[in-house]
Amino acid sequence: MGTRGREPIAAITGLGFSQMSRAPIGTVRELAGAAVLAAIADAGLSVADVDGLLLNRSPTAAAEELPLLLQNDLGLRDLGLLAVIDSEGSSAVQMVQYAALAVRHGMARAVACVFSDTPVKSGSAGNTFAIAMPLSGIEGWERQQGFLGAVAGYAMAAQRHMTVYGTTAEQLGAYAVACRRWAQANPLAFLRKPLTLDDYLASPFVVEPFRVLDCCFPVNGAAAVVVTAADRAADAPCPPAYIHGMGQGHRGRTGLRDDEPELHIGAVQAGRAAYRSAGIAPSDISQCQFYDAFSFAGILSLEAYGLCPAGEGGRFVADGHTAPGGPLPVNTGGGHLSGYYLQGMTPISEALIQVRGQGGERQVRNDIVLVSGNGGCLDYHASLIVSPHRGLGAGAAT
Amino acid sequence: MTASYPGAHDRTFLDFIAARELRLPFDPATGQALGLHRRCAAAEWRPAAGTGTVLAFTVTRRQYDPGFPVPLVHGLIALDEGPTLIARILEVTPAEVSAGMAVRAGFDSHGLWFGPCQEPPHAAA
């Protein structure tokens, strides 16, 4: 452990969900409102105590679906902080970061941060995510080439990893199986039926090398958190999650051969910055809550955040390190594949449940939790280090 | 699906493709090809050889667009001049595609595509 006596940047004291469902249950705005109210109540606050609101709209939703007007829906007055944070899959973690900075510096006292989305239309979300990602650098190029779906971009990156490092279908499958095992102990998870590697290998391809079971499980719903100054956090009804580290990394693309945005990602920078600000090393991490909309994203995150050597993520997972009983639990709620796909709020919400010790059968060591957000096609990264401990000095992680 | 209106850089590339020509932006100062993500007003658009190497590939099995029947093979192609792009790979079955494969450019109603080189272009290398 590095520096002793470090004060946390801020604390997360409230967590709230709307209903979550594969059926239509309301608009993005309605669900967002429900989640914010639940989070405020969970933090032991009233609406009048909240003076900051940050919104995270899905990249697939229209801007007007989650407007700043949510403030008025909820009766929030005289806010000192109000913004839409729009950095794709890294937005939820970024909201918490900006909320933490705001409360740390006195711009606001209690900031609600919410993500809400309704991607599942008529029983399927396939068409919602059939967007063309701007991977080659020419606007409209991927559409002209019929290269559609976030799944295609991630599948290409995964195939590159397989080519360069020898990552296998069985290793991708091991990731999906580990997530399912965690999900089986999570009452909030949507996919809890036992899953074997053979089941995985028998599931149909969407975009090779990805099968259906390599992809996230979209749901309609919203989740929100409340961030307050660390000094006020002890008054909250639930144990606070102290924020000790924060980082971002957005590597950029050149479109030249020696640049490999499929393998070398900004999570490296986001991780180093978060570790540095928390005064810790990757080896101090007790558990990870990753943004893993595709199996490969979880595997690559292990490498980029320095938890296993580059290229070894597949083997690391297949060896059982991240599964229940393993030494480095990853996505203990089932993550995006088997839990629920609420984009960046999935890893944040599970981190809070674990930090509070409310994980039930899936509760694991929670001293230092790494939380990640990942947007674009591995382009935009943000991370948090959270802990139930106010100080991360010597002894905190023992 | 909303179509964004492309800027001059994008339009230049796509107009050449529509004219069945693969041209790439070069930095006149260094003579090096620029990656397609860079917007450089001074770029010179020079004809590319149209040959390259498959760095990675995907096979789309789920039908997203009736204009693109499945199975649909795409490659992450490194052009010999240095830039990379994602494009369809035709004239091969999914099982015949491999990373490292040498490809050359062709054109059809969708625009650019790549197919396997008849002979390895870098046999001497």
Side-chain angles (χ1 to χ4, degrees), chain A residues 285-349:
Chain A
I285 299 295
S286 316
Q287 58 169 273
C288 304
Q289 305 297 343
F290 288 139
Y291 190 114
D292 66 342
F294 302 98
S295 56
F296 171 64
I299 287 173
L300 191 61
S301 295
L302 285 164
E303 300 176 14
Y305 281 102
L307 301 159
C308 71
E312 299 283 328
R315 265 181 291 276
F316 189 79
V317 169
D319 287 346
H321 285 89
T322 65
L328 184 66
V330 169
N331 289 11
T332 51
H336 286 151
L337 303 193
S338 288
Y340 43 89
Y341 180 57
L342 289 184
Q343 300 194 11
M345 274 300 173
T346 301
I348 292 171
S349 57

Side-chain angles (χ1 to χ4, degrees), chain B residues 30-67:
Chain B
T30 65
Q32 297 294 306
L34 293 161
L36 290 171
H37 286 275
R38 265 298 293 283
R39 269 76 180 149
C40 175
E44 285 173 11
W45 290 82
R46 300 183 194 161
T51 49
T53 307
V54 175
L55 297 181
F57 63 95
T58 57
V59 184
T60 297
R61 300 278 180 183
R62 181 199 191 280
Q63 182 92 46
Y64 286 101
D65 182 336

Side-chain angles (χ1 to χ4, degrees), chain A residues 74-86:
Chain A
L74 301 174
L76 290 164
R77 299 296 305 273
D78 302 321
L79 295 182
L81 179 71
L82 175 66
V84 176
I85 303 302
D86 197 4

Side-chain angles (χ1 to χ4, degrees), chain A residues 135 139 141 145 206 208 257, chain B residues 10 37 59 61 74 82 86:
Chain A
L135 303 177
E139 190 69 47
W141 180 254
Q145 288 291 324
V206 182
E208 284 182 50
R257 179 178 186 156
Chain B
D10 312 68
H37 286 275
V59 184
R61 300 278 180 183
H74 287 98
I86 288 170

Side-chain angles (χ1 to χ4, degrees), chain A residues 23-119:
Chain A
I25 48 171
T27 65
V28 168
R29 186 165 161 176
E30 288 163 349
L31 296 173
V36 170
L37 292 177
I40 293 171
D42 182 68
L45 300 176
S46 68
V47 165
D49 298 319
V50 173
D51 60 356
L53 178 64
L54 296 175
L55 309 177
N56 171 197
R57 175 182 61 84
S58 168
T60 61
E64 61 269 23
E65 290 189 68
L66 190 56
L68 298 174
L69 299 171
L70 185 69
Q71 172 188 4
N72 299 331
D73 298 359
L74 301 174
L76 290 164
R77 299 296 305 273
D78 302 321
L79 295 182
L81 179 71
L82 175 66
V84 176
I85 303 302
D86 197 4
S87 290
E88 304 209 0
S90 69
S91 305
V93 167
Q94 288 199 27
M95 285 195 296
V96 173
Q97 294 178 344
Y98 303 134
L101 293 173
V103 299
R104 170 79 182 234
H105 294 288
M107 260 180 81
R109 289 160 51 85
V111 181
C113 307
V114 63
F115 170 83
S116 179
D117 195 19
T118 58

Side-chain angles (χ1 to χ4, degrees), chain A residues 8-336:
Chain A
I9 302 163
I12 309 172
T13 55
L15 169 65
F17 293 95
S18 72
Q19 261 192 286
M20 285 193 271
S21 176
R22 294 279 288 179
I25 48 171
T27 65
V28 168
R29 186 165 161 176
E30 288 163 349
L31 296 173
V36 170
L37 292 177
I40 293 171
D42 182 68
L45 300 176
S46 68
V47 165
D49 298 319
V50 173
D51 60 356
L53 178 64
L54 296 175
L55 309 177
N56 171 197
R57 175 182 61 84
S58 168
T60 61
E64 61 269 23
E65 290 189 68
L66 190 56
L68 298 174
L69 299 171
L70 185 69
Q71 172 188 4
N72 299 331
D73 298 359
L74 301 174
L76 290 164
R77 299 296 305 273
D78 302 321
L79 295 182
L81 179 71
L82 175 66
V84 176
I85 303 302
D86 197 4
S87 290
E88 304 209 0
S90 69
S91 305
V93 167
Q94 288 199 27
M95 285 195 296
V96 173
Q97 294 178 344
Y98 303 134
L101 293 173
V103 299
R104 170 79 182 234
H105 294 288
M107 260 180 81
R109 289 160 51 85
V111 181
C113 307
V114 63
F115 170 83
S116 179
D117 195 19
T118 58
V120 190
K121 327 275 188 200
S122 351
S124 159
N127 291 326
T128 302
F129 295 106
I131 48 170
M133 299 190 117
L135 303 177
S136 300
I138 300 294
E139 190 69 47
W141 180 254
E142 276 69 26
R143 162 137 290 278
Q144 187 178 106
Q145 288 291 324
F147 192 71
L148 297 178
V151 58
Y154 278 86
M156 189 67 83
Q159 212 280 329
R160 182 68 186 149
H161 199 269
M162 294 166 116
T163 299
V164 171
Y165 296 117
T167 302
T168 65
E170 286 75 12
Q171 290 168 352
L172 297 179
Y175 186 88
V177 168
C179 288
R180 182 62 60 87
R181 286 183 57 204
W182 285 115
Q184 286 179 270
N186 181 5
L188 290 174
F190 275 71
L191 298 180
R192 282 183 270 164
K193 260 176 50 183
L195 178 73
T196 66
L197 189 57
D198 286 341
D199 297 333
Y200 166 86
L201 292 169
S203 89
F205 282 118
V206 182
V207 179
E208 284 182 50
F210 285 167
R211 296 169 165 84
V212 170
L213 293 173
D214 288 298
C215 304
C216 63
F217 192 78
V219 299
N220 299 327
V225 298
V226 173
V227 177
T228 66
D231 287 341
R232 305 180 60 208
D235 302 336
C238 288
Y242 290 102
I243 300 169
H244 288 276
M246 315 198 297
Q248 293 187 19
H250 315 284
R251 190 167 175 271
R253 291 171 177 254
T254 65
L256 289 168
R257 179 178 186 156
D258 57 4
D259 184 43
E260 293 232 43
E262 299 79 19
L263 305 176
H264 304 129
I265 62 173
V268 173
Q269 184 185 353
R272 283 177 186 159
Y275 297 143
R276 192 169 55 241
S277 61
I280 63 165
S283 55
D284 295 320
I285 299 295
S286 316
Q287 58 169 273
C288 304
Q289 305 297 343
F290 288 139
Y291 190 114
D292 66 342
F294 302 98
S295 56
F296 171 64
I299 287 173
L300 191 61
S301 295
L302 285 164
E303 300 176 14
Y305 281 102
L307 301 159
C308 71
E312 299 283 328
R315 265 181 291 276
F316 189 79
V317 169
D319 287 346
H321 285 89
T322 65
L328 184 66
V330 169
N331 289 11
T332 51
H336 286 151

